Amino acid sequence: ALGSPWSISRMLDRLESRRLKVWESALVERFPLTTAITEHDSHYISLSNPPLVIPTHVGDCLSYRPTSNPLLSEHSVIFFGEMSTFYSESAVLFAFEQVMPLVWLRFPEAVLYVVGSRPTSKIAGLACKRVVVTGFVEDIRPYVSSADVAIVPLFMGSGLKTKIIQSMALRVPVVSTTIANEGIDGKPEEHILIADDAILFAESIVRLLESPSLRRRIVSEAYHFVSERYSDKAVSARLSAVLGAA
């Protein structure tokens, strides 16, 4: 609704985005070499002189070996990250209000885990038998690697959504929106499942919970995809090539 905290936050975010674009576009002209972490961000900053793309890496997740005692329950769905932002709050509320009720029709025992620091009061208020809100955790990897499905129901924002490639590297299948997959370019039905409305999101989660073979296939393809593009070795090689050509 007009005047609501969400609409005001969205308006302020757009204003800040425009200011940053002007500042960043001017800034790249002052340096002989600049970088961005995605093609989308690079071309958004400057079409005439786009920064070279050097993605982030997830080597600490690729090499992680889960413990034999999973932290999460069976049929667990996880959303993780910094929980103080408008983006995270809107994603969690979308998942809780529109997606999980459809999942619970098929899997009433499923649990939504919201893992990350500084949850807003609205997020914290969702805690119940079916929703676990952890707050800050020292290491995200044991939580993510224990999940059956990782979700990224983000409908705004820019940059590379590290939580997607972290989940892939930790061998957890991901359901994401199209916009959250921008810059990662995981192939739908091969590396990731894409859903842009509540019904498709719930159906994708249910598909993964119902089919261990689908989970294994998606996880295998995604892990290979991330290893090729976002490992320490791959990112270091890209950076070395860029610096060598500068």
Side-chain angles (χ1 to χ4, degrees), residues 64-71 146:
Y64 181 73
R65 294 296 176 264
T67 63
S68 57
N69 298 312
L71 292 179
S146 297

PDB file of all heavy atoms in Angstrom, residues 64-71 146:
ATOM      1  N   TYR A  64      33.875 -28.037   1.773  1.00  0.00           N
ATOM      2  CA  TYR A  64      33.265 -28.387   3.056  1.00  0.00           C
ATOM      3  C   TYR A  64      32.718 -29.810   3.043  1.00  0.00           C
ATOM      4  O   TYR A  64      32.108 -30.252   2.067  1.00  0.00           O
ATOM      5  CB  TYR A  64      32.134 -27.417   3.383  1.00  0.00           C
ATOM      6  CG  TYR A  64      31.451 -27.690   4.706  1.00  0.00           C
ATOM      7  CD1 TYR A  64      32.089 -27.401   5.909  1.00  0.00           C
ATOM      8  CD2 TYR A  64      30.174 -28.242   4.747  1.00  0.00           C
ATOM      9  CE1 TYR A  64      31.477 -27.649   7.125  1.00  0.00           C
ATOM     10  CE2 TYR A  64      29.546 -28.496   5.966  1.00  0.00           C
ATOM     11  CZ  TYR A  64      30.205 -28.199   7.145  1.00  0.00           C
ATOM     12  OH  TYR A  64      29.588 -28.452   8.342  1.00  0.00           O
ATOM     13  N   ARG A  65      32.934 -30.509   4.133  1.00  0.00           N
ATOM     14  CA  ARG A  65      32.404 -31.862   4.272  1.00  0.00           C
ATOM     15  C   ARG A  65      31.419 -31.878   5.440  1.00  0.00           C
ATOM     16  O   ARG A  65      31.810 -31.626   6.583  1.00  0.00           O
ATOM     17  CB  ARG A  65      33.533 -32.868   4.513  1.00  0.00           C
ATOM     18  CG  ARG A  65      34.466 -33.007   3.322  1.00  0.00           C
ATOM     19  CD  ARG A  65      33.739 -33.580   2.109  1.00  0.00           C
ATOM     20  NE  ARG A  65      34.580 -33.631   0.921  1.00  0.00           N
ATOM     21  CZ  ARG A  65      34.603 -32.710  -0.025  1.00  0.00           C
ATOM     22  NH1 ARG A  65      33.825 -31.625   0.092  1.00  0.00           N
ATOM     23  NH2 ARG A  65      35.373 -32.822  -1.079  1.00  0.00           N
ATOM     24  N   PRO A  66      30.147 -32.160   5.182  1.00  0.00           N
ATOM     25  CA  PRO A  66      29.130 -32.115   6.238  1.00  0.00           C
ATOM     26  C   PRO A  66      29.411 -33.104   7.358  1.00  0.00           C
ATOM     27  O   PRO A  66      30.050 -34.137   7.168  1.00  0.00           O
ATOM     28  CB  PRO A  66      27.837 -32.494   5.504  1.00  0.00           C
ATOM     29  CG  PRO A  66      28.132 -32.272   4.055  1.00  0.00           C
ATOM     30  CD  PRO A  66      29.592 -32.537   3.880  1.00  0.00           C
ATOM     31  N   THR A  67      28.905 -32.772   8.548  1.00  0.00           N
ATOM     32  CA  THR A  67      29.021 -33.688   9.681  1.00  0.00           C
ATOM     33  C   THR A  67      28.032 -34.840   9.495  1.00  0.00           C
ATOM     34  O   THR A  67      27.096 -34.763   8.698  1.00  0.00           O
ATOM     35  CB  THR A  67      28.694 -32.962  11.002  1.00  0.00           C
ATOM     36  OG1 THR A  67      27.332 -32.518  10.954  1.00  0.00           O
ATOM     37  CG2 THR A  67      29.611 -31.776  11.208  1.00  0.00           C
ATOM     38  N   SER A  68      28.229 -35.886  10.236  1.00  0.00           N
ATOM     39  CA  SER A  68      27.357 -37.057  10.120  1.00  0.00           C
ATOM     40  C   SER A  68      26.027 -36.848  10.837  1.00  0.00           C
ATOM     41  O   SER A  68      25.107 -37.641  10.690  1.00  0.00           O
ATOM     42  CB  SER A  68      28.059 -38.293  10.690  1.00  0.00           C
ATOM     43  OG  SER A  68      28.444 -38.061  12.039  1.00  0.00           O
ATOM     44  N   ASN A  69      25.927 -35.770  11.624  1.00  0.00           N
ATOM     45  CA  ASN A  69      24.692 -35.473  12.354  1.00  0.00           C
ATOM     46  C   ASN A  69      24.094 -34.161  11.829  1.00  0.00           C
ATOM     47  O   ASN A  69      24.475 -33.077  12.282  1.00  0.00           O
ATOM     48  CB  ASN A  69      24.971 -35.356  13.863  1.00  0.00           C
ATOM     49  CG  ASN A  69      25.498 -36.646  14.457  1.00  0.00           C
ATOM     50  OD1 ASN A  69      24.943 -37.706  14.221  1.00  0.00           O
ATOM     51  ND2 ASN A  69      26.588 -36.545  15.209  1.00  0.00           N
ATOM     52  N   PRO A  70      23.165 -34.241  10.893  1.00  0.00           N
ATOM     53  CA  PRO A  70      22.571 -33.030  10.317  1.00  0.00           C
ATOM     54  C   PRO A  70      21.900 -32.170  11.388  1.00  0.00           C
ATOM     55  O   PRO A  70      21.287 -32.678  12.334  1.00  0.00           O
ATOM     56  CB  PRO A  70      21.526 -33.579   9.333  1.00  0.00           C
ATOM     57  CG  PRO A  70      21.974 -34.980   9.036  1.00  0.00           C
ATOM     58  CD  PRO A  70      22.607 -35.458  10.304  1.00  0.00           C
ATOM     59  N   LEU A  71      22.015 -30.848  11.233  1.00  0.00           N
ATOM     60  CA  LEU A  71      21.413 -29.925  12.194  1.00  0.00           C
ATOM     61  C   LEU A  71      19.922 -29.737  11.976  1.00  0.00           C
ATOM     62  O   LEU A  71      19.201 -29.389  12.903  1.00  0.00           O
ATOM     63  CB  LEU A  71      22.106 -28.551  12.096  1.00  0.00           C
ATOM     64  CG  LEU A  71      23.561 -28.470  12.552  1.00  0.00           C
ATOM     65  CD1 LEU A  71      24.078 -27.054  12.348  1.00  0.00           C
ATOM     66  CD2 LEU A  71      23.689 -28.870  14.007  1.00  0.00           C
ATOM     67  N   SER A 146      22.728 -29.276   5.638  1.00  0.00           N
ATOM     68  CA  SER A 146      21.751 -30.209   6.218  1.00  0.00           C
ATOM     69  C   SER A 146      20.371 -30.082   5.591  1.00  0.00           C
ATOM     70  O   SER A 146      19.501 -30.929   5.831  1.00  0.00           O
ATOM     71  CB  SER A 146      21.614 -29.960   7.732  1.00  0.00           C
ATOM     72  OG  SER A 146      22.825 -30.207   8.403  1.00  0.00           O
TER      73      SER A 146
END
